């Protein structure tokens, strides 16, 4: 038996025309370890936006009900060559109720339960999801569980990574995001020192309000002094950055090196021997990353992505992380949303122009049956 | 008993005045494991130039016999704050004859022998060196042994590093340098595939002449095709770059990602899962490193420096590497020089203007008794 419902698709033609539209589709019956989830809520994360709108000119797009058509600038279109002509779903994660299940015991056990899931096509009324990646939500609402995967597992992943590398302090360059708030709470629980960088006074207050000890404001004139001070106090030579473009990483390395240089007894032409480590885990700014030659050769910068990380740590660790999320869904791992939109309403000009700016703490939630 | 002789010093004042001059100094008698080496030859490596001239305006400097005084531009002067007021020696390595030794058996055993050494003040008529780091040269000339440490151990270090990381192919972005030629020979001996990037047709010929299989010319219109072709053939997702500034690293990552993407069966919005690894081991270009968001998140870039690397691999590995250099000094590890200059002549305008450009294959050798 097939089920029909609405789903969002994003298609980039070779000529740079981006079409994002809601369509009626038929969903296959789940088999094996699959479940069919009637989706109730799905967040729009920065990691969804690349595929949803990318660098398209959404200001001058043509908007009709449940659809927009925009031009992708030449450079962005060339960079996206691999997806030309592909009609792609969007939405990494969400939550809903299992209405049908494949033969496996794990799948059958979920029938009738509300779960969070990671189907990759969450902007849809129905999704086929892997039972092994579903988190039963018990009495929690779909909104409570909609963001139970990407941000919680990423924030936990940072701490796992830091511990595996023998670190007891972390720098996070965008502290006030939903993810940043989760990381703040996790670090408190785990006794890891955390340096949060924010851009606004109200974000300093927000993080201090949830107990953050080291919050520095990049809008302040003495920002670099604040940053070196916090690194000096915590020993955070290890950090994560979701911005990517510009000098976020560079200034982090510079501040780390300044603290390391203070502790040197002798001048070295090659900089300090303190190893400085940064990870770029997002591209809120798609301009190039700029690294100045200001911190010697004792540094390493990597890209960081959730799914390869989860594969690298193995099933047992992932299960332990998921259990922790499940046990603390509305406390440590709580998310907040600015707006709730239907599938059609998420494709209006007002909505697109707003969520594509990715303002800290202003996340959208898609509710596909509203 | 003290020995007197001439030595070069480089001093940067807080106001940005850089003074590089030859002075008469008294050398203490060696103690313990030290030896006093009468220096006969010392190369001017890129790694020496930062301390020797840095970003100073040597074109408009004031030159007198055995001395020049130059202005350091404001940004470079601020970046070099840690050395303000310090009178520093220069010259990492060189070769000469041991004329006096400390009490230790290792030191005493070297008396009268010609050795290569790593004293850090090799632009000098005498140096105190650590016997443990001296390489006896047997019947070889001082010129044969002058560059027996920095380039050979760096090139061997790349191969050690690659093997430790399970790699059997390496990309080197400046293939025709003395170091690049050594690396070419080492990789042939060890069965490691090597992709050499050069900028001139004559450098292609030079490397092919010593048996290099994969040489690509960045001056050719189809350079990126050549580069991806060579990466496709060798599987070189692991490389070393002495340039640092600009897009050398970026284009290497882009070419690696293009090859990896060809092998993907399914589109991924996050790029390939192929891990791409680059190391910056020099700063021939001191402009910022530019990393575009063109190769997903599966990449890592690190600074690479010889001495921390040698410390990390331990004494036994270093001894094995040194033995290999000693056994193949005039073959695998042979260096060539463009000019030979005295301590005074290395401080003439003609010489400084020439060696500070760091042209590939045009190395200077300082002969402090000429």
């Amino acid at each position: 038996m097939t089920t029909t419902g609405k789903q969002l698709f994003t298609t980039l033609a070779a000529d740079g025309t981006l079409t994002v539209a809601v369509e009626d589709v038929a969903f296959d019956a789940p088999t094996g370890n699959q479940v069919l989830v009637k989706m109730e809520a799905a967040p729009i994360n920065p990691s969804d936006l690349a595929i949803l709108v990318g660098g398209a000119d959404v200001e001058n797009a043509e908007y009709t009900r449940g659809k927009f058509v925009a031009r992708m600038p030449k450079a962005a279109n060339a960079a996206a060559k691999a997806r030309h002509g592909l009609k792609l779903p969007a939405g990494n994660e969400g939550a809903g109720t299992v209405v049908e299940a494949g033969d496996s015991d794990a799948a059958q056990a979920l029938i009738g339960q509300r779960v969070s899931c990671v189907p990759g096509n969450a902007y849809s009324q129905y999704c086929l999801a892997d039972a092994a990646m579903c988190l039963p939500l018990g009495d929690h609402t779909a909104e409570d569980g909609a963001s139970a995967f990407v941000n919680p597992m990423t924030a936990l992943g940072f701490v796992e990574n830091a511990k595996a590398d023998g670190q007891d302090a972390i720098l996070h360059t965008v502290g006030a995001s939903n993810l940043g708030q989760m990381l703040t709470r996790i670090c408190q629980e785990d006794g890891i020192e955390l340096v949060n960088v924010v851009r606004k006074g109200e974000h300093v207050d927000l993080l201090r309000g949830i107990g953050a000890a080291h919050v520095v404001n990049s809008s302040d004139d003495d920002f670099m002094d604040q940053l070196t001070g916090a690194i000096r106090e915590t020993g955070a030579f290890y950090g994560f950055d979701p911005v990517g473009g510009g000098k976020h990483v560079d200034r982090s390395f510079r501040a780390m090196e300044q603290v390391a240089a203070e502790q040197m007894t002798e001048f070295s032409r090659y900089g300090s021997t303190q190893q400085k480590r940064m990870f770029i885990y997002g591209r809120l700014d798609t301009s190039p990353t700029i690294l100045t030659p200001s911190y010697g050769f004792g540094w390493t910068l990597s890209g960081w992505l959730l799914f390869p990380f989860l594969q690298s740590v193995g099933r047992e660790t992932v299960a332990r992380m998921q259990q922790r999320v499940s046990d603390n869904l509305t406390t440590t791992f709580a998310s907040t949303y600015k707006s709730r939109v239907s599938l059609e309403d998420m494709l209006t000009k007002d909505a697109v122009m707003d969520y594509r700016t990715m303002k800290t703490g202003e996340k959208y939630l898609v509710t596909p049956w509203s």
Side-chain angles (χ1 to χ4, degrees), chain A:
Chain A
M1 196 191 92
T2 58
T3 307
T4 57
K6 292 185 287 187
Q7 181 175 341
L8 179 147
F9 291 95
T10 170
T11 310
L12 180 64
D15 71 355
T17 306
L18 176 75
T19 305
V20 183
V22 178
E23 296 184 21
D24 289 313
V25 293
F27 298 90
D28 288 335
T31 59
N33 210 36
Q34 288 181 323
V35 293
L36 185 69
V37 183
K38 185 177 177 185
M39 297 298 289
E40 296 164 59
I44 304 181
N45 288 319
S47 51
D48 296 310
L49 278 173
I51 199 84
L52 199 58
V53 294
D57 178 11
V58 290
E59 181 145 22
N60 299 302
E62 188 187 311
Y63 291 89
T64 51
R65 184 74 189 148
K67 180 177 181 176
F68 73 81
V69 179
R71 297 289 313 163
M72 191 70 82
K74 207 170 168 185
N77 191 46
K81 195 179 156 196
R83 62 172 285 200
H84 282 168
L86 299 176
K87 186 167 154 181
L88 299 168
N92 276 311
E93 66 179 342
T97 300
V98 175
V99 292
E100 218 181 317
D103 291 338
S104 85
D105 291 346
Q108 285 291 325
L110 292 175
I111 285 188
Q113 291 203 56
R114 180 169 282 148
V115 299
S116 75
C117 56
V118 198
N121 64 330
Y123 304 147
S124 179
Q125 291 185 317
Y126 292 95
C127 294
L128 284 172
D130 178 358
M133 295 291 273
C134 286
L135 201 67
L137 291 173
D139 293 335
H140 291 299
T141 65
E143 183 163 327
D144 287 341
S147 298
F149 192 82
V150 176
N151 278 344
M153 296 297 269
T154 299
L156 283 174
F158 294 172
V159 175
E160 288 285 332
N161 237 88
K163 288 177 181 171
D165 285 339
Q167 303 294 315
D168 54 14
I170 292 173
L171 169 69
H172 190 218
T173 64
V174 180
S177 63
N178 271 329
L179 194 158
Q181 295 175 47
M182 287 180 199
L183 185 61
T184 300
R185 293 185 287 254
I186 295 166
C187 286
Q188 283 165 16
E189 292 167 14
D190 289 12
I192 300 281
E193 296 263 33
L194 177 66
V195 176
N196 281 300
V197 180
V198 299
R199 277 174 304 177
K200 294 179 180 176
E202 66 206 68
H203 292 158
V204 177
D205 298 340
L206 187 160
L207 287 175
R208 290 210 191 284
I210 60 170
H214 305 279
V215 188
V216 301
N217 188 343
S218 62
S219 301
D220 290 346
D221 289 339
D222 65 344
F223 166 60
M224 283 304 282
D225 288 340
Q226 290 182 27
L227 184 56
T228 50
I231 291 170
R232 197 178 295 120
E233 283 173 48
T234 58
F237 294 99
Y238 193 94
F240 294 87
D241 171 60
V243 179
K247 291 199 171 181
H248 269 69
V249 168
D250 187 66
R251 71 188 186 193
S252 303
F253 278 146
R254 275 189 286 128
M256 290 173 182
E257 179 68 3
Q258 188 177 320
V259 174
E262 291 165 3
Q263 294 159 3
M264 289 167 68
T265 50
E266 210 174 295
F267 170 72
S268 164
R269 66 196 72 180
Y270 303 117
S272 78
T273 54
Q274 170 68 52
Q275 285 298 315
K276 298 161 287 289
R277 190 86 169 90
M278 290 291 293
F279 298 87
I280 290 176
Y281 71 94
R283 279 280 175 185
L284 294 177
D285 178 347
T286 56
S287 72
T289 309
I290 307 293
L291 303 176
T292 60
S294 315
Y295 24 86
F297 292 82
W299 55 270
T300 293
L301 173 62
S302 297
W304 195 96
L305 210 54
L306 180 57
F307 287 91
F309 167 77
L310 293 178
Q311 282 183 328
S312 75
V313 296
R315 195 170 298 207
E316 213 167 297
T317 300
V318 173
R320 171 170 54 76
M321 291 163 68
Q322 281 193 302
Q323 189 59 50
R324 184 167 172 183
V325 176
S326 179
D327 292 345
N328 304 279
L329 197 60
T330 56
T331 51
T332 309
F333 301 101
S335 287
T336 56
Y337 303 96
K338 175 190 183 181
S339 298
R340 283 143 199 86
V341 287
S342 68
L343 285 170
E344 287 81 6
D345 288 343
M346 78 178 279
L347 301 183
T348 61
K349 184 169 182 178
D350 283 354
V352 174
M353 294 292 290
D354 195 29
Y355 60 66
R356 67 111 63 175
T357 60
M358 300 183 276
K359 285 207 191 88
T360 303
E362 302 195 356
K363 200 182 282 291
Y364 271 63
L365 189 70
V366 181
T367 51
W369 292 92
S370 62

